[in-house]
Amino acid sequence: MQRLTGLDAAFLALETPSTHMHVMATMVLDPSDVPGGFTVESMRTLIAERLPRLDPFRRRVVDVPFGLHHPVWVEDPDFDLDYHVRRAALPAPGGLDELAELTAEIAGRQLDRRRPLWEMWVVEGLEHGHVAVIAKMHHAAIDGVLGVDLMTEIFDLEPHPQPTPPPETTPSDDRVPSDVELLVGAMTSMARQPLRAVRAVGNLARSAARVVQRVRSGPVSAGVPLTAPYSPLNGVLTPHRRVAFTSVPLADVKQVKQAFGVTVNDVVLAVCAGALRRYLELRAWVPDKALLAAIPASVRSQDERGVIGNRVSAMFATLATQLDDPVERLFAARDVMSGAKLVHEDIGGDTLHEWAEVAAPVLFSRGMQLYERVLEGRHPPIINLIVSNVPGPSFPLFCAGARLVSLFPLGPLLAGTGLNVTVVSYLDTVGFGLIGCREIVPNIGKIADGVPDALGELRKAAENR
């Protein structure tokens, strides 16, 4: 039994029927060299073999009565692999659009908290004889870096690897604790809360002082929550989702990076800004100020690699959608990210984690329910969208002998925010996964269509430099 961290518990408590807090990845595999092909049984066999190393796959959540303290993880005594690994099929030959439509349908349903918080769908019927795996896991159990680490347990570096030795320790046979045991454990843990609260207040005061000093010392470009313009990307969330996928050559991204002396993340943000500007022009609604994006940031140290529990924070950056020139948008992304990183360092990556530790989950849950009933959609947007960029593997991966062809990640939506763009690199491509509220961003494919065009503008400018 292990207690959830405050941030993990917050991700659970913030979830509502419309605000789903799971993350996803849609992966296309080529099974042409696999004898007998790749089936749902192939996936079940592989997961079963590696389950001792996949802690988040075996554990389910048990709530503390009355929501007094963070829930606990326990080994699921009724674990059912067939429930978690499922089969689906598209009318052949299915392309990316059809795969995105199925992914959206799966994304629009909450995970069952009576079981470990994950699902995998093996999808047959894709064009070129490919199959897909749609993976879905609650954010309480995984962050971006841990997700990449889990991929190394499920995927191999060669089609037919040597058997992996069993772990040194075997999973314990937990039983579900009683309400009395949960309450006693909660009271014991909560006895340390006053000290944590004092430490959190002190650290926040010091962080605020550093930020004030930074602002006084000179102008700093950084996004500020609650300064976002009204846009077609914001509104009242429903449970329904739209999904779109697209990819661009990594070489083109690096060409722009080197030509203009910026980072890969700067290029990604500029490409997103360009694609969104085209979309807003189609909607005849281009705000005269930049859109504001939340940028999730990992604060996981090397010593914490593989450790269960979210280690994430957030930065805020403007996307210069009000600018027509693509190079100006790129330099604007560079400047605002430089400022956002400085402010994030001043605030400290542990601030969010500390405050989540001292808050009871019931406060997050009741607060989110009240917000959705009373405030959502009735005030200026806190942010306009979420953009996340996670470095992926630069080497080929294989799953039960099938070669991974493409990878598209998807993140959660927050109340009032109808679009999340998550980006990951794999081999020589950069995959963009876009997920949006069906009613707020019904034609999300138009945004995805603008991504290659936006990068093409920057590449042309780099060539003419």
Side-chain angles (χ1 to χ4, degrees), residues 372-445:
E372 288 189 343
R373 285 200 304 265
V374 178
L375 294 176
E376 187 179 13
R378 296 181 175 89
H379 60 80
I382 300 174
I383 58 173
N384 294 117
L385 72 155
I386 303 164
V387 180
S388 181
N389 181 21
V390 181
S394 58
F395 40 83
L397 295 175
F398 299 85
C399 182
R403 180 172 58 88
L404 179 63
V405 175
S406 53
L407 170 62
F408 302 101
L410 297 167
L413 301 180
L414 300 179
T417 305
L419 178 65
N420 182 308
V421 181
T422 306
V423 184
V424 68
S425 57
Y426 171 62
L427 290 179
D428 55 357
T429 62
V430 180
F432 286 70
L434 294 82
I435 185 168
C437 174
R438 187 184 186 96
E439 285 73 17
I440 299 175
V441 193
N443 47 357
I444 194 171

Coordinates of all heavy atoms in Angstrom, one line a residue, residues 372-445:
E372 N -17.5 24.4 -12.1 CA -18.2 24.0 -13.3 C -19.7 24.5 -13.3 O -20.2 24.9 -14.3 CB -18.1 22.5 -13.5 CG -16.8 22.0 -13.9 CD -16.8 20.5 -14.3 OE1 -17.7 19.8 -14.0 OE2 -15.8 20.1 -15.0
R373 N -20.3 24.5 -12.1 CA -21.7 24.9 -12.0 C -21.9 26.4 -12.1 O -22.9 26.9 -12.6 CB -22.3 24.3 -10.7 CG -22.6 22.9 -10.7 CD -23.6 22.5 -9.6 NE -23.2 23.0 -8.3 CZ -22.5 22.2 -7.4 NH1 -22.2 21.0 -7.7 NH2 -22.2 22.7 -6.2
V374 N -20.9 27.1 -11.5 CA -21.2 28.6 -11.3 C -20.3 29.4 -12.2 O -20.8 30.5 -12.7 CB -20.9 28.9 -9.8 CG1 -21.1 30.4 -9.6 CG2 -21.8 28.1 -8.9
L375 N -19.1 29.1 -12.5 CA -18.1 30.0 -13.1 C -17.7 29.7 -14.5 O -17.4 30.6 -15.3 CB -16.9 30.2 -12.2 CG -17.1 30.8 -10.8 CD1 -15.8 30.8 -10.0 CD2 -17.6 32.2 -11.0
E376 N -17.6 28.4 -14.8 CA -17.1 28.0 -16.1 C -17.8 28.7 -17.3 O -19.0 28.6 -17.4 CB -17.1 26.5 -16.3 CG -16.4 26.0 -17.5 CD -16.4 24.5 -17.7 OE1 -17.2 23.8 -17.0 OE2 -15.7 24.0 -18.5
G377 N -17.0 29.3 -18.1 CA -17.5 30.0 -19.3 C -18.1 31.3 -19.0 O -18.6 32.0 -19.9
R378 N -18.0 31.8 -17.8 CA -18.6 33.1 -17.4 C -17.6 34.2 -17.0 O -17.9 35.2 -16.4 CB -19.6 32.9 -16.2 CG -20.8 32.0 -16.6 CD -21.8 31.9 -15.4 NE -23.0 31.1 -15.8 CZ -23.1 29.8 -15.7 NH1 -22.1 29.1 -15.2 NH2 -24.2 29.2 -16.0
H379 N -16.3 33.9 -17.4 CA -15.3 34.9 -17.0 C -14.2 34.8 -18.1 O -14.2 33.9 -18.9 CB -14.7 34.6 -15.7 CG -14.0 33.2 -15.6 ND1 -12.8 32.9 -16.1 CD2 -14.5 32.0 -15.1 CE1 -12.5 31.6 -15.9 NE2 -13.6 31.1 -15.3
P380 N -13.3 35.8 -18.2 CA -12.3 35.7 -19.2 C -11.5 34.4 -19.0 O -11.3 33.9 -17.9 CB -11.4 36.9 -18.9 CG -12.4 37.9 -18.3 CD -13.3 37.0 -17.5
P381 N -11.0 33.8 -20.1 CA -10.3 32.5 -20.0 C -9.0 32.7 -19.1 O -8.3 33.7 -19.1 CB -9.8 32.2 -21.4 CG -10.8 33.0 -22.3 CD -11.1 34.3 -21.5
I382 N -8.8 31.6 -18.3 CA -7.6 31.6 -17.5 C -6.4 31.4 -18.4 O -5.4 32.0 -18.4 CB -7.7 30.5 -16.5 CG1 -8.9 30.7 -15.5 CG2 -6.4 30.4 -15.7 CD1 -9.1 29.6 -14.6
I383 N -6.5 30.4 -19.3 CA -5.6 30.2 -20.4 C -6.4 29.8 -21.7 O -7.6 29.6 -21.5 CB -4.6 29.0 -20.1 CG1 -5.4 27.7 -19.8 CG2 -3.7 29.3 -19.0 CD1 -4.5 26.5 -19.7
N384 N -5.8 29.8 -22.8 CA -6.5 29.5 -24.0 C -6.4 28.0 -24.4 O -7.3 27.4 -25.0 CB -6.1 30.4 -25.2 CG -6.4 31.8 -25.0 OD1 -5.5 32.7 -25.0 ND2 -7.7 32.2 -24.9
L385 N -5.2 27.5 -24.1 CA -4.9 26.1 -24.5 C -3.7 25.5 -23.8 O -3.1 26.3 -23.0 CB -4.7 26.0 -26.0 CG -3.3 26.5 -26.6 CD1 -3.0 25.8 -27.9 CD2 -3.4 28.0 -26.8
I386 N -3.5 24.3 -23.9 CA -2.3 23.6 -23.3 C -1.4 23.1 -24.5 O -1.9 22.5 -25.4 CB -2.8 22.4 -22.4 CG1 -3.7 22.9 -21.4 CG2 -1.6 21.7 -21.8 CD1 -4.5 21.8 -20.7
V387 N -0.1 23.3 -24.3 CA 0.8 22.8 -25.3 C 1.9 22.1 -24.5 O 2.5 22.7 -23.6 CB 1.4 23.9 -26.2 CG1 2.4 23.3 -27.2 CG2 0.4 24.7 -26.9
S388 N 2.2 20.8 -24.9 CA 3.2 20.1 -24.2 C 4.1 19.4 -25.2 O 3.7 18.9 -26.3 CB 2.6 19.0 -23.3 OG 3.5 18.2 -22.7
N389 N 5.4 19.5 -25.0 CA 6.4 18.9 -25.9 C 7.3 17.9 -25.1 O 8.0 18.3 -24.1 CB 7.3 20.0 -26.5 CG 8.3 19.5 -27.5 OD1 8.2 18.4 -28.0 ND2 9.3 20.3 -27.7
V390 N 7.2 16.6 -25.4 CA 8.0 15.6 -24.7 C 9.0 15.0 -25.6 O 8.6 14.4 -26.7 CB 7.1 14.5 -24.1 CG1 7.8 13.5 -23.3 CG2 6.0 15.1 -23.2
P391 N 10.3 15.0 -25.3 CA 11.3 14.3 -26.1 C 11.1 12.8 -26.1 O 10.9 12.2 -25.1 CB 12.6 14.7 -25.5 CG 12.4 15.9 -24.6 CD 10.9 15.7 -24.1
G392 N 11.1 12.3 -27.3 CA 10.9 10.8 -27.4 C 12.1 10.1 -27.9 O 13.2 10.7 -28.1
P393 N 12.0 8.8 -28.1 CA 13.2 8.0 -28.5 C 13.7 8.3 -29.9 O 12.8 8.5 -30.8 CB 12.7 6.6 -28.3 CG 11.3 6.6 -28.5 CD 10.8 8.0 -27.9
S394 N 15.0 8.4 -30.1 CA 15.5 8.6 -31.4 C 15.9 7.3 -32.1 O 16.6 7.3 -33.2 CB 16.7 9.5 -31.3 OG 17.7 8.9 -30.5
F395 N 15.5 6.2 -31.5 CA 15.9 4.8 -32.1 C 14.6 4.0 -32.3 O 13.6 4.3 -31.6 CB 16.8 4.1 -31.1 CG 16.5 4.3 -29.7 CD1 15.5 3.5 -29.1 CD2 17.1 5.3 -28.9 CE1 15.1 3.7 -27.8 CE2 16.7 5.5 -27.6 CZ 15.7 4.7 -27.0
P396 N 14.6 3.1 -33.2 CA 13.4 2.3 -33.5 C 13.0 1.4 -32.3 O 13.9 0.9 -31.5 CB 13.8 1.4 -34.7 CG 15.3 1.4 -34.6 CD 15.8 2.6 -34.0
L397 N 11.7 1.3 -32.1 CA 11.2 0.4 -31.0 C 10.3 -0.6 -31.6 O 9.7 -0.5 -32.7 CB 10.4 1.3 -30.0 CG 11.1 2.4 -29.2 CD1 10.2 3.2 -28.4 CD2 12.2 1.7 -28.3
F398 N 10.1 -1.7 -30.8 CA 9.3 -2.9 -31.3 C 8.4 -3.3 -30.1 O 8.8 -3.3 -29.0 CB 10.2 -4.0 -31.7 CG 11.1 -3.7 -32.9 CD1 12.4 -3.1 -32.6 CD2 10.8 -4.0 -34.2 CE1 13.2 -2.7 -33.7 CE2 11.6 -3.6 -35.2 CZ 12.8 -3.0 -35.0
C399 N 7.2 -3.7 -30.5 CA 6.3 -4.2 -29.5 C 5.8 -5.6 -29.9 O 5.2 -5.8 -31.0 CB 5.1 -3.3 -29.4 SG 3.8 -3.8 -28.2
A400 N 6.2 -6.7 -29.2 CA 5.9 -8.0 -29.5 C 6.4 -8.3 -31.0 O 5.7 -9.1 -31.7 CB 4.5 -8.4 -29.3
G401 N 7.5 -7.8 -31.4 CA 8.1 -8.0 -32.7 C 7.6 -7.0 -33.8 O 8.2 -6.9 -34.8
A402 N 6.5 -6.3 -33.5 CA 6.0 -5.3 -34.5 C 6.7 -4.0 -34.3 O 6.9 -3.5 -33.2 CB 4.5 -5.1 -34.3
R403 N 7.1 -3.4 -35.5 CA 7.9 -2.2 -35.4 C 7.0 -1.0 -35.2 O 5.9 -0.8 -35.9 CB 8.7 -2.0 -36.7 CG 9.5 -0.7 -36.8 CD 10.4 -0.7 -38.1 NE 9.6 -0.9 -39.3 CZ 9.0 0.2 -39.9 NH1 9.2 1.4 -39.5 NH2 8.3 0.0 -41.0
L404 N 7.3 -0.1 -34.3 CA 6.6 1.1 -34.0 C 6.9 2.1 -35.2 O 8.0 2.5 -35.5 CB 7.0 1.8 -32.7 CG 6.3 3.1 -32.4 CD1 4.8 2.9 -32.2 CD2 7.0 3.7 -31.1
V405 N 5.8 2.5 -35.9 CA 5.9 3.3 -37.1 C 5.7 4.8 -36.7 O 6.4 5.7 -37.1 CB 4.8 2.9 -38.1 CG1 4.8 3.9 -39.3 CG2 5.1 1.5 -38.6
S406 N 4.7 5.1 -35.9 CA 4.4 6.5 -35.5 C 3.8 6.5 -34.2 O 3.2 5.5 -33.7 CB 3.5 7.2 -36.6 OG 2.3 6.4 -36.8
L407 N 3.9 7.7 -33.5 CA 3.5 7.9 -32.1 C 2.9 9.2 -32.0 O 3.4 10.2 -32.3 CB 4.7 7.7 -31.2 CG 4.6 8.1 -29.7 CD1 3.6 7.2 -29.0 CD2 6.0 8.0 -29.1
F408 N 1.6 9.2 -31.4 CA 0.9 10.5 -31.2 C 0.4 10.5 -29.8 O -0.5 9.7 -29.4 CB -0.3 10.6 -32.2 CG 0.1 10.5 -33.7 CD1 -0.1 9.3 -34.4 CD2 0.7 11.5 -34.3 CE1 0.3 9.2 -35.7 CE2 1.0 11.5 -35.7 CZ 0.8 10.3 -36.3
P409 N 0.9 11.5 -29.0 CA 0.4 11.6 -27.6 C -0.8 12.5 -27.5 O -1.0 13.4 -28.4 CB 1.7 12.2 -26.9 CG 2.3 13.1 -28.0 CD 2.0 12.4 -29.3
L410 N -1.5 12.4 -26.4 CA -2.7 13.2 -26.1 C -2.7 13.5 -24.7 O -2.6 12.6 -23.8 CB -4.0 12.5 -26.6 CG -4.1 12.2 -28.1 CD1 -5.3 11.3 -28.3 CD2 -4.3 13.5 -28.9
G411 N -3.0 14.8 -24.3 CA -3.1 15.2 -22.9 C -4.5 15.5 -22.5 O -5.4 15.5 -23.4
P412 N -4.7 15.9 -21.3 CA -6.1 16.2 -20.8 C -6.5 17.6 -21.1 O -5.7 18.5 -21.4 CB -6.0 16.0 -19.3 CG -4.6 16.3 -19.0 CD -3.7 15.9 -20.2
L413 N -7.8 17.9 -21.1 CA -8.3 19.2 -21.1 C -8.7 19.7 -19.7 O -9.1 18.9 -18.9 CB -9.6 19.2 -22.0 CG -9.5 18.8 -23.5 CD1 -10.8 18.9 -24.2 CD2 -8.4 19.6 -24.2
L414 N -8.6 21.0 -19.5 CA -9.0 21.6 -18.3 C -10.3 22.4 -18.4 O -10.6 22.8 -19.5 CB -7.9 22.6 -17.8 CG -6.5 21.9 -17.5 CD1 -5.5 23.0 -17.1 CD2 -6.6 20.8 -16.5
A415 N -11.0 22.5 -17.3 CA -12.3 23.2 -17.4 C -12.1 24.6 -18.1 O -11.2 25.4 -17.7 CB -12.8 23.4 -16.0
G416 N -13.0 24.9 -19.0 CA -12.9 26.1 -19.7 C -12.0 26.2 -20.9 O -12.0 27.1 -21.7
T417 N -11.1 25.2 -21.0 CA -10.1 25.1 -22.1 C -10.3 24.0 -23.0 O -10.3 22.8 -22.6 CB -8.7 25.0 -21.4 OG1 -8.5 26.0 -20.4 CG2 -7.6 25.1 -22.4
G418 N -10.6 24.3 -24.3 CA -11.1 23.3 -25.2 C -10.1 22.6 -26.1 O -10.4 21.8 -27.0
L419 N -8.8 22.9 -25.9 CA -7.8 22.3 -26.8 C -6.5 22.0 -26.1 O -6.0 22.8 -25.2 CB -7.4 23.3 -27.9 CG -6.4 22.9 -29.0 CD1 -6.8 21.7 -29.8 CD2 -6.0 24.0 -29.9
N420 N -5.9 20.8 -26.4 CA -4.6 20.4 -25.9 C -3.8 19.9 -27.1 O -4.3 19.0 -27.8 CB -4.7 19.3 -24.8 CG -3.4 18.9 -24.2 OD1 -2.5 18.6 -24.9 ND2 -3.3 18.9 -22.9
V421 N -2.6 20.4 -27.2 CA -1.7 20.0 -28.3 C -0.5 19.4 -27.6 O 0.2 20.0 -26.9 CB -1.2 21.1 -29.2 CG1 -0.3 20.6 -30.3 CG2 -2.4 21.9 -29.8
T422 N -0.3 18.1 -27.8 CA 0.9 17.4 -27.2 C 1.8 16.9 -28.3 O 1.3 16.3 -29.3 CB 0.4 16.2 -26.3 OG1 -0.5 16.7 -25.4 CG2 1.6 15.6 -25.6
V423 N 3.1 17.1 -28.2 CA 4.0 16.8 -29.2 C 5.1 15.9 -28.7 O 5.6 16.0 -27.6 CB 4.7 18.1 -29.7 CG1 5.6 17.9 -30.9 CG2 3.6 19.1 -30.1
V424 N 5.5 14.9 -29.5 CA 6.6 14.0 -29.2 C 7.4 13.7 -30.4 O 6.8 13.5 -31.5 CB 6.1 12.7 -28.5 CG1 5.3 11.9 -29.4 CG2 7.2 11.9 -27.8
S425 N 8.7 13.6 -30.3 CA 9.6 13.2 -31.4 C 9.8 11.7 -31.3 O 9.9 11.1 -30.2 CB 10.9 13.9 -31.3 OG 11.6 13.7 -30.1
Y426 N 9.9 11.0 -32.5 CA 10.2 9.6 -32.6 C 11.0 9.4 -33.9 O 10.5 9.8 -35.0 CB 9.0 8.7 -32.5 CG 9.3 7.3 -32.8 CD1 10.1 6.5 -32.0 CD2 8.7 6.7 -33.9 CE1 10.4 5.2 -32.3 CE2 9.0 5.3 -34.2 CZ 9.8 4.6 -33.4 OH 10.1 3.3 -33.7
L427 N 12.2 8.8 -33.8 CA 13.0 8.6 -35.0 C 13.2 10.0 -35.7 O 13.7 10.9 -35.1 CB 12.4 7.6 -35.9 CG 12.5 6.1 -35.3 CD1 11.8 5.1 -36.3 CD2 13.9 5.7 -35.1
D428 N 12.8 10.0 -36.9 CA 13.0 11.2 -37.7 C 11.8 12.1 -37.9 O 11.7 12.9 -38.8 CB 13.6 10.9 -39.1 CG 12.7 9.9 -39.9 OD1 11.7 9.4 -39.3 OD2 13.0 9.5 -41.0
T429 N 10.7 11.9 -37.1 CA 9.5 12.7 -37.2 C 9.1 13.3 -35.9 O 9.6 12.8 -34.8 CB 8.3 11.8 -37.7 OG1 8.1 10.8 -36.8 CG2 8.7 11.2 -39.1
V430 N 8.3 14.3 -35.9 CA 7.7 14.9 -34.7 C 6.2 14.7 -34.9 O 5.6 15.2 -35.8 CB 8.1 16.4 -34.6 CG1 7.4 17.0 -33.4 CG2 9.6 16.5 -34.6
G431 N 5.6 14.0 -33.9 CA 4.1 13.7 -34.0 C 3.4 14.7 -33.1 O 3.7 15.0 -32.0
F432 N 2.3 15.2 -33.7 CA 1.4 16.2 -33.0 C 0.1 15.5 -32.7 O -0.6 15.0 -33.7 CB 1.1 17.4 -33.8 CG 2.3 18.4 -33.9 CD1 3.4 18.1 -34.6 CD2 2.2 19.6 -33.3 CE1 4.5 18.9 -34.8 CE2 3.3 20.5 -33.4 CZ 4.4 20.2 -34.1
G433 N -0.3 15.4 -31.5 CA -1.6 14.9 -31.1 C -2.5 16.0 -30.6 O -2.1 16.7 -29.6
L434 N -3.6 16.2 -31.2 CA -4.5 17.3 -30.8 C -5.8 16.7 -30.3 O -6.4 15.9 -31.0 CB -4.8 18.2 -32.0 CG -3.6 19.1 -32.6 CD1 -2.8 18.2 -33.6 CD2 -4.2 20.3 -33.3
I435 N -6.2 17.1 -29.2 CA -7.5 16.7 -28.6 C -8.3 17.9 -28.2 O -7.7 18.9 -27.6 CB -7.3 15.7 -27.4 CG1 -8.7 15.2 -27.0 CG2 -6.5 16.3 -26.3 CD1 -8.6 14.0 -26.0
G436 N -9.6 17.9 -28.5 CA -10.4 19.1 -28.1 C -11.8 18.7 -27.8 O -12.2 17.6 -28.0
C437 N -12.5 19.6 -27.1 CA -13.9 19.4 -26.8 C -14.7 19.4 -28.2 O -14.5 20.4 -28.9 CB -14.4 20.4 -25.9 SG -16.2 20.4 -25.5
R438 N -15.5 18.4 -28.4 CA -16.2 18.3 -29.7 C -17.0 19.6 -30.0 O -17.1 20.1 -31.1 CB -17.1 17.1 -29.7 CG -17.7 16.8 -31.0 CD -18.7 15.6 -30.8 NE -19.2 15.1 -32.1 CZ -18.7 14.2 -32.9 NH1 -17.6 13.5 -32.5 NH2 -19.2 13.8 -34.0
E439 N -17.7 20.1 -28.9 CA -18.6 21.3 -29.1 C -17.8 22.6 -29.3 O -18.3 23.5 -29.9 CB -19.6 21.4 -28.0 CG -20.7 20.3 -28.0 CD -20.3 18.9 -27.7 OE1 -19.2 18.8 -27.1 OE2 -21.0 18.0 -28.0
I440 N -16.6 22.7 -28.7 CA -15.8 23.9 -28.7 C -15.0 24.0 -30.0 O -14.9 25.0 -30.6 CB -15.0 24.1 -27.4 CG1 -15.9 24.1 -26.2 CG2 -14.1 25.3 -27.5 CD1 -15.1 24.1 -24.9
V441 N -14.3 22.9 -30.3 CA -13.4 22.8 -31.5 C -13.9 21.7 -32.4 O -13.2 20.6 -32.5 CB -11.9 22.6 -31.0 CG1 -11.0 22.9 -32.2 CG2 -11.6 23.5 -29.9
P442 N -15.0 21.8 -33.0 CA -15.6 20.7 -33.8 C -14.7 20.4 -35.0 O -14.8 19.2 -35.5 CB -17.0 21.3 -34.3 CG -16.8 22.8 -34.2 CD -15.9 23.1 -33.1
N443 N -14.0 21.3 -35.6 CA -13.2 21.1 -36.8 C -11.7 21.1 -36.4 O -10.9 21.8 -37.0 CB -13.5 22.0 -37.9 CG -13.6 23.5 -37.4 OD1 -13.4 23.8 -36.2 ND2 -13.8 24.4 -38.3
I444 N -11.3 20.3 -35.4 CA -10.0 20.3 -34.9 C -9.0 19.9 -36.0 O -7.8 20.2 -36.0 CB -9.9 19.4 -33.7 CG1 -8.5 19.6 -33.0 CG2 -10.0 17.9 -34.1 CD1 -8.5 18.9 -31.6
G445 N -9.4 19.1 -37.0 CA -8.6 18.7 -38.1 C -8.0 19.9 -38.9 O -6.9 19.8 -39.5

